[in-house]
Amino acid sequence: MAEVDNTALLQFLLRTGDNTLILGHRVSEWCGHAPILEEDIALANTALDLIGQTQLWLGYAAEVQGMGKSADDLAFLRDVWDFRNVLLVELPNGDFGQTLMRQFLFDAWHSIMLPRLAKGTDERVREIAQKAVKEVSYHVERSADTVVGLGDGTEESHARMQAALDYLYPYVGELFESDEVDAAMVDAGIAPDPASLRDEYDALVGRVMEKATLTVPDGSFAHKGGRTGRMHTEHLGHLVSSMQWLQRAYPGSEW
Amino acid sequence: MYAQMIKTARPGIKSREEMTDQEREFQDKIDNDIKIEPRDWMPEDYRKTLIRQIGQHAHSEVVGQLPEGNWITRAPTLERKAILLAKVQDEAGHGLYLYSAAETLGVTRDDLVERLHEGRMKYSSIFNYPTLNWADIGAVGWLVDGAAIINQVALQRTSYGPYSRAMVRICKEESFHARQGYHAIMKMAFGTPAQKKMAQDALNRLWFPSLMMFGPSDKDSVHSEQSMAWKIKVKTNDELRQQFVDQTVPQIEYLGLDLPDPGITWNEEREHYDFTDPDWNEFFDVLKGNGPCNTDRMRDRKAAWDDGQWVRDGLLAHARKKAAARVAAE
């Protein structure tokens, strides 16, 4: 196994932690506004798990960075161009159907990626992934059930879920992009090549969409630029400006 | 808490002579601290009063998500965000638990929600006040949950079994929230001058609304007497309010914040703090729908319900299809 380069490891950890941070933030926006009380609880629980995972991923990222920073510094004091999450997670929530469809498309990937990380060569990555995988196996079960229930529900719920899938699907491909950071992770045995997960992902998504009576869109076009930081959507800046407001307005305070 | 001005059918209580045999037997159980359970006979007015009280309590937990949710996306650290998410999740859970307790009295959750949205049921006045700075989140835990606990600890002894048991469980979580809230406000009070200013601002704004949570003064609380006799309520509004003030003033002093009421002084003779009564006109205005946030809170809740109709319909339709397919397969 190749010795891992810290710059690459840092990028990998930011990608992983920023995904959970930004998705956790988006999900938390639902608080008090869900269609039914049980969903309020489930959404808060999902957001809580994701924020908990973020603390671990970004905490490790800050250590690897070696500049004396904390997970909070990384979450609250970086600007948009330094975020490394995929575009999928920063998109606005839309309606409840779009939120749950996005959740499933992410959970499905997460549930396939994490068990690999849990068996990798980096002890810290392994530990975090082992903890997260338990939470995520529940997330994917729940989001899949909801996608199936709404896809195979009424005419209206079906139409809304199909529209959500059509809108979100072009953002899925970015999860399977590979670059030199991923190559370094593969060489060091820390993480798999994202592209290698695609078949398993397509099979899982295909099974769920079939039960949901939804059609996976044709075409392989993928919006990307989030995980490399090359180009985020316009939405991330607004998310970050509210998320970071207190830390920016009152620098150096303890909370 | 979260239950104020609960109406009973009529002010005052029946004398033993006025009671039927059944009613006397019921009252004897209450007087001997035997819990009333869902299948037991109970006076219709006892049932109605409890539905109102438990329902109002449940609604308060649900509407209470909104002022706290207002800060989830702006929480200043990952840990604070996680703590707040966990708290709001607990509160939604309390709502669920209380609706279930109310359902044992022969009412459905949907019916209670409908009554709330139509303005026929209320939720605690406190949630009609805004959360304007981050210290409000600490103050809500410290003062609002603190006040709720005082009421709910007393309610653990309430006569209706399912409500009493719900209170035991809820109190444990609320105590945890209150400690976390106090810890958050401590950080602010002992932090930078700007943070201390936020803490003081939150205390000043939320003090009197917190006192109002206990409901009007005993002398003006026309429905309390019957509720006390039935042990739906076990302490008077004024007793509970005094307990809250006595417990909170030393905490304010420890934080080094200014007292929010110049009328707060230790009374040697009573061995309690004297304090200024809240402005009851404001309280009744809030109950009538004229609080700072009433309109927005109800609009948000109704929108959540209405926008979610297609989701509930969809999931129900799917469940029916599945059930039909199972029957067909058998």
Side-chain angles (χ1 to χ4, degrees), chain A residues 32 35 38 152 247 254-255, chain B residues 76 80 109 195 301 312 318:
Chain A
E38 284 81 350
D152 179 44
Q247 289 270 1
E254 278 192 44
W255 305 92
Chain B
R80 290 283 167 211
R109 194 208 311 182
Q195 286 177 302
R301 285 306 308 161
R312 296 189 301 277
H318 174 68

Side-chain angles (χ1 to χ4, degrees), chain A residues 25 28 31-33 35 37-38 41 45 48 72 76 149-150 152-153 156 160 242-243 246-247 250 253-255, chain B residues 72-78 80-82 88-89 92 96 109 187 195 198 301 304 308 310 312 314 318 321:
Chain A
H25 186 98
S28 78
C31 173
H33 298 89
L37 198 47
E38 284 81 350
I41 296 171
N45 190 43
L48 181 57
D72 283 337
F76 295 97
L150 293 174
D152 179 44
E156 181 182 5
R160 282 180 184 254
S242 68
M243 179 172 81
L246 277 171
Q247 289 270 1
Y250 302 96
S253 308
E254 278 192 44
W255 305 92
Chain B
I72 284 184
T73 55
R74 292 178 289 169
T77 67
L78 294 169
R80 290 283 167 211
K81 196 196 287 276
V88 173
Q89 188 192 353
L96 203 58
R109 194 208 311 182
K187 278 271 185 189
Q195 286 177 302
M198 290 181 215
R301 285 306 308 161
W310 72 270
R312 296 189 301 277
H318 174 68
K321 285 185 208 177

Side-chain angles (χ1 to χ4, degrees), chain B residues 226-240:
Chain B
Q226 179 66 74
S227 283
M228 298 280 293
W230 277 337
K231 294 188 187 169
I232 290 175
K233 268 176 99 152
V234 289
K235 281 191 180 178
T236 70
N237 296 350
D238 286 334
E239 281 173 337
L240 294 166

Side-chain angles (χ1 to χ4, degrees), chain A residues 4 11 73-74 108 194 198 206 244 253:
Chain A
V4 69
Q11 286 302 306
D73 292 333
L74 292 178
R198 184 77 205 228
Q244 298 185 338
S253 308

Side-chain angles (χ1 to χ4, degrees), chain A residues 21 24-25 28-29 31-41 44-45 47-48 51-52 54-55 58 71-72 75-76 95-98 145-146 148-150 152-154 156-157 160-161 211 239 242-247 250 252-255, chain B residues 62 65-66 68-83 85-86 88-89 91-96 99 109 134 184 187-188 191-192 194-195 198 300-301 303-305 307-315 317-318 321-322:
Chain A
L21 171 64
H25 186 98
S28 78
E29 291 172 5
C31 173
H33 298 89
I36 194 160
L37 198 47
E38 284 81 350
E39 290 298 335
D40 269 317
I41 296 171
N45 190 43
L48 181 57
I51 296 302
T54 304
Q55 288 176 288
L58 292 188
D72 283 337
F76 295 97
D95 67 8
F96 181 80
Q98 186 176 313
D145 279 354
T146 312
V148 169
L150 293 174
D152 179 44
T154 59
E156 181 182 5
S157 73
R160 282 180 184 254
M161 295 312 279
K211 277 198 219 167
L239 184 155
S242 68
M243 179 172 81
Q244 298 185 338
W245 178 72
L246 277 171
Q247 289 270 1
Y250 302 96
S253 308
E254 278 192 44
W255 305 92
Chain B
V62 173
Q65 293 180 97
L66 296 172
E68 297 196 299
N70 183 38
W71 279 93
I72 284 184
T73 55
R74 292 178 289 169
T77 67
L78 294 169
E79 191 188 358
R80 290 283 167 211
K81 196 196 287 276
I83 289 172
L85 274 165
V88 173
Q89 188 192 353
E91 272 148 17
H94 297 170
L96 203 58
Y99 282 128
R109 194 208 311 182
W134 171 250
K187 278 271 185 189
M188 311 282 286
T192 65
Q195 286 177 302
M198 290 181 215
D300 280 0
R301 285 306 308 161
W305 187 251
D307 295 347
Q309 187 67 47
W310 72 270
V311 176
R312 296 189 301 277
D313 290 347
L315 293 175
H318 174 68
K321 285 185 208 177
K322 257 173 65 176

